[in-house]
Amino acid sequence: MELPAAGEVRMSQAILPAHTNARSELSAGQLLKWIDTTACLAAEKHAGVSCVTASVDDIQFEETARVGQVITIIAKVTRAFSTSMEISIKVIVQDMLTGIEKLVSVAFSTFVAKPVGGEKIRLKPVILITEQDHVEYNLASERRKVRLQHEETFNNLMKESCKFEDPTCNGEEGAVITKGTSVQSIELVLPPHANHHGNTFGGQIMAWMETVATISASRLCPVHPFLKSVDMFKFRGPSTVGDRLVFSATVNNTFQTNVEVGVRVEAFDCREWAEGRGRHINSAFLIYNAVDDREELITFPRVKPISKDDFRRYQGAIARKRICLGRKYVISHKEEAPLCVYWDTSKQASLSNDNVEALKNLAAKSGWEITSALEKIKIYTLEEKDVLFLWIEKHVKSPAYLAYHLLSDYTKRPLWDPHYISCEVIDRVSNDDHLYHIICPNVNGNKLKDFVVLVSRRKPLKDWSEHVSSPSSNAYVVAVTSVILPLLPPSPQYIRSETVCAGFLIQAVDSNSCMVSYLSQMSSSVLPYFAGNIGGWSKSIEETAASCIQFIENATDDRLLSEV
């Protein structure tokens, strides 16, 4: 392995049987201990004083590790603020027989410097050497903004959630009562559990929390669930040797193949224990998956909230999922493979049909979760194998054929969509297929983005009166996908970007109204435009959808209608 860079701390550990869980894999609790230790050492190396964990968030577990393999944890301060630091953590597993390395996890934690006595400290800035150092430095600031906005965003989303009902919350067959997943455990803090500051070791607390959360998740199905990600560990206060720590875990909500478990930790000293008066010192929200004998993901049963607290936790899980999805593009460590769809006139028919079918297949996916609802607009999301899909549903008081005419002409898109600066026709290949060059603003304030797309449109096989109650298979279709066009190569003036699959499905409700659905597969090029809205700190999607509705409903020009 390469030597550690300046400012890095590396820890390597051989995985032994004592480190494994019921699935004979490295226990997530054990890994969390090692992660916290390595991150703390990196923070103290930079600060030169004692540091404590303030929070750990955005842990994603990509791979598992087994006995005989070696785990290497790399921790580094990405940015120092006044008294706090963000630590990036990268976990790699190596097979000693083959030498093959795999990425297990990428995580981010926040540590606070704790000088002795009343000494004041201001952390020195991080020395940036490589281009990646500069990228992480800038992203650290964005992640910090999200953390600081988290509570306000969460509260706003909770207020929103009271405006609509989640239909899966009401009387679904096979639903598990929330109370049936509750688990409580207690640990006495002993000297081996204390860190070098004399407080309970943060990694040990996280490991205990993971254990009780795993038990809670296992109440939903007769298999051993495994930790997939951590939304947040938040440290609210310290505990010391002699404290009794009470861990309470409950399943808050399930999302198809994911289940969120909330864990609360209260600490009691001797007097507080006798009086039944504890201190809330930690909270965490952990996301679990489970697989069957064929290693295929299991769909968890829905939970059925009964009490007021049950409903609060149920809605809270939905809000946290939105925030997590929204901030995902900020912390993404994956590079998407570029599309390789070359435009070829001789293959026009197949490229057009593939474009339309891809949009229809996207609409046919199951498991969509509602994330926002207004009077005329609903927003759904779907996460599938770490790919995010978006569905925006709009009720429009206008005939379906008119909405189709307006939305299938992409030159009109900048009239109502602020995310489009211009949209010009490159080639009118046929009546149903046009190639467009689209220019969009860059949300990060750098160069403008541009797209070269194929827009394919289809009318339904039957008129509206025959398919009012039919699914989207008989809807008007406007499908969009990026293509590579040699005549229009990337320009240094723009950042060439890609749309994987997007477009409109327009379904008639009656002769004077329709349902317009916009669907899109989120790519690294597209996600920044939607991330703030999905995360709850922006209303750009609702505002754009409202603008689209107004644009269609105001289109009463006789000349336009005659063109239809």
Side-chain angles (χ1 to χ4, degrees):
M1 285 187 131
E2 60 185 28
L3 295 174
E8 277 187 358
V9 170
R10 293 195 176 203
M11 173 190 287
S12 292
Q13 296 280 354
I15 303 173
L16 304 176
H19 301 143
T20 60
N21 58 20
R23 290 169 48 86
S24 298
E25 298 168 350
L26 174 62
S27 162
Q30 180 62 63
L31 182 54
L32 289 169
K33 285 186 188 180
W34 289 338
I35 285 175
D36 191 60
T37 299
T38 312
C40 181
L41 294 174
E44 293 182 344
K45 184 177 183 180
H46 180 81
V49 296
S50 296
C51 297
V52 295
T53 314
S55 65
V56 182
D57 54 21
D58 301 321
I59 303 179
Q60 304 289 330
F61 295 98
E62 309 289 346
E63 289 284 344
T64 57
R66 297 183 178 276
V67 172
Q69 296 180 324
V70 171
I71 282 284
T72 298
I73 303 168
I74 306 164
K76 185 176 182 179
V77 178
T78 54
R79 186 161 184 167
F81 302 96
S82 54
T83 59
S84 67
M85 295 158 281
E86 182 194 80
I87 316 295
S88 70
I89 303 124
K90 185 177 181 180
V91 183
I92 298 169
V93 62
Q94 183 182 37
D95 189 294
M96 300 308 294
L97 298 180
T98 64
I100 296 175
E101 293 182 353
K102 292 183 179 180
L103 179 67
V104 174
S105 179
V106 171
F108 296 93
S109 61
T110 302
F111 276 76
V112 176
K114 290 291 185 182
V116 178
E119 178 187 352
K120 290 185 178 180
I121 186 171
R122 186 171 184 83
L123 295 169
K124 63 185 179 183
V126 174
I127 298 174
L128 307 177
I129 300 174
T130 67
E131 182 178 346
Q132 186 61 31
D133 290 341
H134 286 272
V135 170
E136 289 299 331
Y137 180 85
N138 292 328
L139 291 179
S141 179
E142 294 299 315
R143 286 186 288 262
R144 185 168 186 261
K145 289 178 184 177
V146 173
R147 293 185 193 107
L148 294 176
Q149 293 173 348
H150 182 275
E151 187 171 350
E152 180 181 355
T153 302
F154 178 78
N155 290 336
N156 289 337
L157 289 177
M158 289 295 282
K159 290 177 182 176
E160 273 187 29
S161 67
C162 298
K163 300 177 184 177
F164 65 96
E165 288 189 37
D166 180 353
T168 58
C169 179
N170 299 319
E172 183 173 305
E173 186 176 350
V176 177
I177 296 176
T178 305
K179 187 178 180 181
T181 68
S182 296
V183 177
Q184 190 174 90
S185 182
I186 184 170
E187 297 285 350
L188 177 62
V189 181
L190 301 173
H193 302 139
N195 60 21
H196 54 304
H197 307 309
N199 295 326
T200 313
F201 174 40
Q204 178 62 71
I205 295 177
M206 289 192 289
W208 282 332
M209 295 172 86
E210 193 275 333
T211 297
V212 72
T214 302
I215 298 172
S216 177
S218 69
R219 298 283 172 87
L220 290 176
C221 54
V223 294
H224 297 293
F226 56 90
L227 187 63
K228 179 60 179 175
S229 64
V230 176
D231 182 76
M232 180 179 295
F233 280 107
K234 190 168 185 179
F235 291 79
R236 300 174 179 271
S239 63
T240 59
V241 173
D243 278 347
R244 289 86 174 154
L245 303 186
V246 176
F247 299 81
S248 301
T250 304
V251 169
N252 294 330
N253 207 335
T254 59
F255 305 94
Q256 299 296 313
T257 58
N258 296 328
V259 55
E260 184 198 90
V261 181
V263 185
R264 177 186 174 95
V265 187
E266 292 184 312
F268 300 78
D269 60 24
C270 285
R271 177 174 295 179
E272 291 167 338
W273 187 244
E275 296 173 353
R277 175 175 49 86
R279 313 183 311 275
H280 180 198
I281 63 166
N282 292 89
S283 288
F285 302 97
L286 302 92
I287 314 301
Y288 284 85
N289 290 152
V291 293
D292 57 21
D293 294 337
R294 294 172 295 179
E295 293 297 309
E296 294 180 355
L297 287 173
I298 289 174
T299 298
F300 287 98
R302 300 294 300 187
V303 293
K304 184 178 181 180
I306 301 296
S307 68
K308 186 176 180 180
D309 277 346
D310 290 345
F311 278 97
R312 176 181 56 79
R313 290 192 293 263
Y314 184 95
Q315 298 291 357
I318 297 173
R320 278 185 292 275
K321 185 176 177 67
R322 282 192 62 179
I323 295 171
C324 182
L325 290 175
R327 70 187 177 211
K328 213 166 191 180
Y329 84 98
V330 175
I331 66 167
S332 176
H333 57 275
K334 294 182 178 179
E335 291 294 329
E336 292 180 319
L339 294 177
C340 297
V341 180
Y342 284 85
W343 174 252
D344 185 341
T345 306
S346 66
K347 298 179 180 179
Q348 172 193 333
S350 62
L351 290 173
S352 176
N353 288 334
D354 289 347
N355 189 17
V356 171
E357 287 305 310
L359 184 63
K360 288 184 176 180
N361 290 337
L362 176 54
K365 288 181 178 292
S366 60
W368 291 93
E369 304 275 356
I370 188 167
T371 60
S372 178
L374 301 176
E375 183 180 356
K376 292 184 176 182
I377 303 165
K378 291 183 179 179
I379 300 174
Y380 302 83
T381 56
L382 170 65
E383 198 170 15
E384 189 177 86
K385 295 182 180 178
D386 294 328
V387 177
L388 179 63
F389 304 95
L390 182 73
W391 183 324
I392 306 166
E393 190 179 80
K394 296 167 281 194
H395 189 274
V396 183
K397 292 181 179 179
S398 181
Y401 65 83
L402 178 58
Y404 166 70
H405 175 81
L406 294 168
L407 296 177
S408 62
D409 183 356
Y410 255 52
T411 61
K412 294 181 170 64
R413 182 99 180 231
L415 296 177
W416 58 267
D417 191 340
H419 302 108
Y420 280 58
I421 294 176
S422 67
C423 189
E424 298 179 353
V425 178
I426 302 172
D427 188 2
R428 299 181 188 275
V429 182
S430 69
N431 287 336
D432 292 329
D433 297 292
H434 292 175
L435 296 173
Y436 291 88
H437 183 220
I438 300 169
I439 299 175
C440 299
N442 191 321
V443 294
N444 295 323
N446 298 319
K447 293 181 181 179
L448 301 178
K449 290 188 176 186
D450 75 332
F451 299 78
V452 176
V453 301
L454 167 66
V455 176
S456 304
R457 62 182 192 172
R458 298 286 190 277
K459 293 181 180 179
L461 298 176
K462 303 175 183 178
D463 63 46
W464 71 268
S465 62
E466 295 180 271
H467 71 261
V468 168
S469 58
S470 300
S472 59
S473 58
N474 280 326
Y476 289 90
V477 179
V478 182
V480 183
T481 189
S482 285
V483 294
I484 297 173
L485 194 63
L487 295 176
L488 192 61
S491 165
Q493 185 179 356
Y494 307 112
I495 300 173
R496 177 56 55 89
S497 305
E498 295 175 337
T499 295
V500 180
C501 175
F504 298 94
L505 295 176
I506 304 162
Q507 184 79 28
V509 175
D510 54 39
S511 59
N512 293 309
S513 64
C514 62
M515 191 67 70
V516 176
S517 295
Y518 177 78
L519 298 101
S520 179
Q521 177 177 331
M522 298 289 98
S523 64
S524 59
S525 300
V526 175
L527 186 54
Y529 296 105
F530 297 97
N533 200 106
I534 295 170
W537 54 87
S538 167
K539 291 291 183 184
S540 63
I541 295 180
E542 286 93 340
E543 291 167 358
T544 302
S547 177
C548 179
I549 293 172
Q550 185 178 17
F551 171 73
I552 297 171
E553 292 181 347
N554 289 346
T556 57
D557 183 74
D558 292 337
R559 180 182 59 81
L560 178 61
L561 291 173
S562 66
E563 291 177 4
V564 182

